[in-house]
Amino acid sequence: MTQITRMSTLYAPTLKEVPTEAALASHRLLLRAGFIRKSATGLYSYLPLGWRVIRKIEQIVREEMDAIGAQEMMMPILQPAELWHESNRWDDYGPELMRMDDRHGAGLCLGPTHEELIADLVRNELKSYKQLPTTLYQMQSKFRDEIRPRFGLMRSREFIMKDAYSFNVDEESLHESYAQMSKAYGRICDRLGLRWRAVDADSGQIGGSTTCEYHALADAGEAELVSCSCGFASNTEVAECIPHPTSQGETELRRIETPGVATIADLAAFVGVPESSTVKALVGKDAEGTPVAVFIPGDHELGEIKIERAVPGFEFMTDEEMEDAGLPKGSIGPVGLPEGVRILADRSLEVIDGWLVGANEHGFHYAGALRGRDFEVDEFADLCTAKAGDACPECGNALEVNRGIEVGQVFELGDKYSRTMGATFLGKDGKEHYFQMGCYGVGISRCMAAVVEQHNDEYGIQWPASVAPAHVCVLPLVVGDDAVQPVAERIAAQLADLGVEVVIDDRKERPGVKFAEADLMGWPLQLIVGKRGVADEEIEVKNRQSGEKTTVSFSAFREALTFASKAKSRLTAFLDSIGNVAVPSAR
Ligand code: ATP
Ligand code: MG
């Protein structure tokens, strides 16, 4: 039997107005429906309903972790600086790491992730190959001093993460743990009711090589993903980009006066060619301060991660720096660049003869600039961000672009941390070996926002039954009425007996208010008990997701209860039979 939740005493303060900064549906609705409240930038309280959803998400994640043999534990949030010095991340992690000193002056940080802490833990405890593989996980608040905390729970400074770490004897065993974990992540996304995609990704701060991100598809997502019907899918940050620059056709070097041409769009329009026939220049410097001119097809953008890989420490030059280096902004080209400027170009430009590009003089461009004759390129590399219509690197078909919210990521770390931190075990051969490690994160609190982002309409949230704060809301339309109230209470009690989580709106509010708030809070099923219905021995049933309303007689309702009470999964049976509510792939 479950507890009945009473709206008359529930702490779920709803809002009519929300701050204008709440730009996303998930942020707005979680505030409006009284699920979360902001305490400061990037810091949120979960009110009772929000906390229930968090616990449901955690439970789904827990079940899937336990099902693959991972063991739940808990590590301290506060971590000693020494461990981060050992891995060199005290310096490498940058200002996102929240640091402090204790009263003795010892450095500490609030954990943004736990590779160091767990590597330290096991290096003294997991001693033999016989104990491997072992996977440990925890669910806990993490801290990152994000440069731009925003969108409510989506990018906050304190957030809840599930982080798991596997310890393996060799690469093969690591691949197995990684594959199992990847499958579990797919099941988690399914059970959260998410439309999702797993994509190739960058390993960023954490390090390692093989990695995959799990994204909930949503227009509001901060990430951009490319995918193809052949199965290829990648974060655009790292997707191999195959642009199709088009030759402008000219091969004689021709200097063109281009007054007022400041952008690629201007240039293309001025010359009367598509943007893909122009060559865009970007100017920066490498870690040593050497100027680098980067050329890419005019219809593409430079990829941040890709340029960092090609030119470590790359930074764009400021206008003054460009001026000082004799580089006229808006008119940069490879022909006649000042001495000492390194020239880098996107691979796709290797086959283009006759570049339409800046002439290194304000108000002038060149057409027909030919590599080998008019200029040289020091290095070609994959530099652009892939976009819709570019060729799929696996099959050549046109790529599709979607936006996504990263809800999880899995990594094969290899021995990156075990080596720097000296974490070894005794192998079968009697020798010490470094652990092969994997790490696997799910953003629990971000998941809540992602679910709302995918499941809402103009009236409010439409929770999938698997994570809803309660399954059914019983709405007695006239509270205190001798006929209505007892029927509603009885229904709620019967549902609670069955194990269905039920809310009863026992407030003395107008029906309109109750309907609006039930829709806003997003209970999957509403059972409406009115005076006339009771007289006719029937209730109204509303499926929040589909909006479908049906009238169910008392006897049919009793039958559904009896049927469900005998079913293996009572909840699923009841929701399905009475309101056509699906529970996303219940375990
Ligand atoms: P992002 O690229 O969005 O900053 P990340 O790649 O740095 O995230 P990971 O280190 O992979 O994050 O952390 C695991 C998971 O924790 C992420 O997949 C995401 O769901 C969640 N997460 C990370 N940063 C935040 C944050 N600031 N607020 C809420 N959730 C977060
Ligand atoms: Mg990530």
Side-chain angles (χ1 to χ4, degrees), residues 144 146 153-157 159 161 206 213 222 406-409 411 441-443 445-446:
R144 294 184 187 178
E146 296 276 354
L153 301 182
M154 224 45 114
R155 186 168 295 285
S156 45
R157 296 195 293 171
F159 58 96
M161 197 204 284
I206 305 249
E213 286 170 352
E222 288 184 276
E406 183 196 320
V407 291
Q409 188 165 11
F411 296 87
V442 171
S445 44
R446 187 184 280 182

Side-chain angles (χ1 to χ4, degrees), residues 93 96 112-113 115 142-144 146 149-150 152-163 185 202-203 205-206 213-215 222 235 237 405-411 440-447:
Y93 212 92
E96 254 180 46
T113 175
E115 286 78 15
K142 295 280 188 271
F143 296 81
R144 294 184 187 178
E146 296 276 354
R150 54 182 174 169
L153 301 182
M154 224 45 114
R155 186 168 295 285
S156 45
R157 296 195 293 171
E158 175 176 340
F159 58 96
I160 305 171
M161 197 204 284
K162 182 282 300 183
D163 46 328
Y185 272 44
D202 175 50
S203 57
Q205 269 297 351
I206 305 249
E213 286 170 352
Y214 287 75
H215 284 264
E222 288 184 276
N235 193 310
E237 291 177 337
I405 300 165
E406 183 196 320
V407 291
Q409 188 165 11
V410 292
F411 296 87
Y440 317 91
V442 171
I444 301 282
S445 44
R446 187 184 280 182
C447 278

Side-chain angles (χ1 to χ4, degrees), residues 438-456:
C439 77
Y440 317 91
V442 171
I444 301 282
S445 44
R446 187 184 280 182
C447 278
M448 169 149 104
V451 169
V452 177
E453 211 51 59
Q454 284 191 359
H455 297 274
N456 72 78

Side-chain angles (χ1 to χ4, degrees), residues 86 116 121 133 253 265 272 291 326 358 437 458 514 533 548 553 559 574 579 585:
E86 273 191 55
E116 283 80 0
L121 184 80
L253 190 67
M437 277 176 72
E458 57 190 307
K514 293 189 177 186
E548 189 189 347
S553 67
E559 266 169 43
F574 173 76
S585 44

Side-chain angles (χ1 to χ4, degrees), residues 78-339:
L78 208 51
Q79 305 184 19
E82 295 113 69
L83 294 180
W84 288 72
H85 284 301
E86 273 191 55
S87 70
N88 294 322
R89 283 210 292 184
W90 188 258
D91 295 325
D92 292 352
Y93 212 92
E96 254 180 46
L97 189 62
M98 297 228 176
R99 303 155 207 250
M100 72 192 85
D101 290 334
D102 70 11
R103 63 169 76 203
H104 308 293
L108 295 165
C109 66
L110 293 175
T113 175
H114 276 64
E115 286 78 15
E116 283 80 0
L117 205 110
I118 202 161
D120 174 57
L121 184 80
V122 304
R123 69 180 160 186
N124 301 311
E125 308 279 0
L126 264 182
K127 295 202 165 71
S128 159
Y129 72 92
K130 289 182 197 146
Q131 297 165 283
L132 303 177
T134 290
T135 300
L136 301 168
Y137 76 97
Q138 63 174 353
M139 292 193 234
Q140 169 192 78
S141 293
K142 295 280 188 271
F143 296 81
R144 294 184 187 178
D145 199 355
E146 296 276 354
I147 188 166
R148 244 175 269 112
R150 54 182 174 169
F151 308 140
L153 301 182
M154 224 45 114
R155 186 168 295 285
S156 45
R157 296 195 293 171
E158 175 176 340
F159 58 96
I160 305 171
M161 197 204 284
K162 182 282 300 183
D163 46 328
Y165 306 87
S166 73
F167 297 91
N168 304 81
V169 288
D170 54 21
E171 282 180 22
E172 196 188 326
S173 162
L174 173 58
H175 294 334
E176 269 168 38
S177 292
Y178 179 87
Q180 270 188 339
M181 201 50 96
S182 303
K183 278 202 198 125
Y185 272 44
R187 284 193 296 268
I188 290 168
C189 290
D190 283 341
R191 290 182 64 189
L192 296 181
L194 292 172
R195 276 175 288 110
W196 60 276
R197 188 161 286 158
V199 304
D200 299 339
D202 175 50
S203 57
Q205 269 297 351
I206 305 249
S209 48
T210 305
T211 178
C212 181
E213 286 170 352
Y214 287 75
H215 284 264
L217 299 176
D219 291 340
E222 288 184 276
E224 204 177 63
L225 318 173
V226 281
S227 61
C228 175
S229 51
C230 77
F232 171 82
S234 177
N235 193 310
T236 52
E237 291 177 337
V238 293
E240 183 185 345
C241 177
I242 309 177
H244 301 293
T246 42
S247 175
Q248 187 233 327
E250 293 181 54
T251 49
E252 289 301 315
L253 190 67
R254 180 166 69 91
R255 191 158 169 272
I256 326 169
E257 191 171 357
T258 48
V261 166
T263 65
I264 285 291
D266 294 344
L267 177 65
F270 187 88
V271 183
V273 294
E275 290 185 14
S276 58
S277 292
T278 67
V279 175
K280 189 191 283 189
L282 299 128
V283 186
K285 51 190 181 180
D286 65 15
E288 278 80 51
T290 308
V292 187
V294 185
F295 296 97
I296 60 174
D299 61 343
H300 276 73
E301 299 300 331
L302 185 66
E304 238 176 82
I305 290 177
K306 292 183 176 181
I307 187 67
E308 174 62 32
R309 273 184 199 162
V311 184
F314 181 88
E315 265 179 53
F316 285 107
M317 278 192 180
T318 61
D319 290 0
E320 284 106 75
E321 284 173 324
M322 285 183 67
E323 212 55 45
D324 292 347
L327 298 164
K329 194 180 175 201
S331 305
I332 306 294
V335 184
L337 270 176
E339 275 291 296

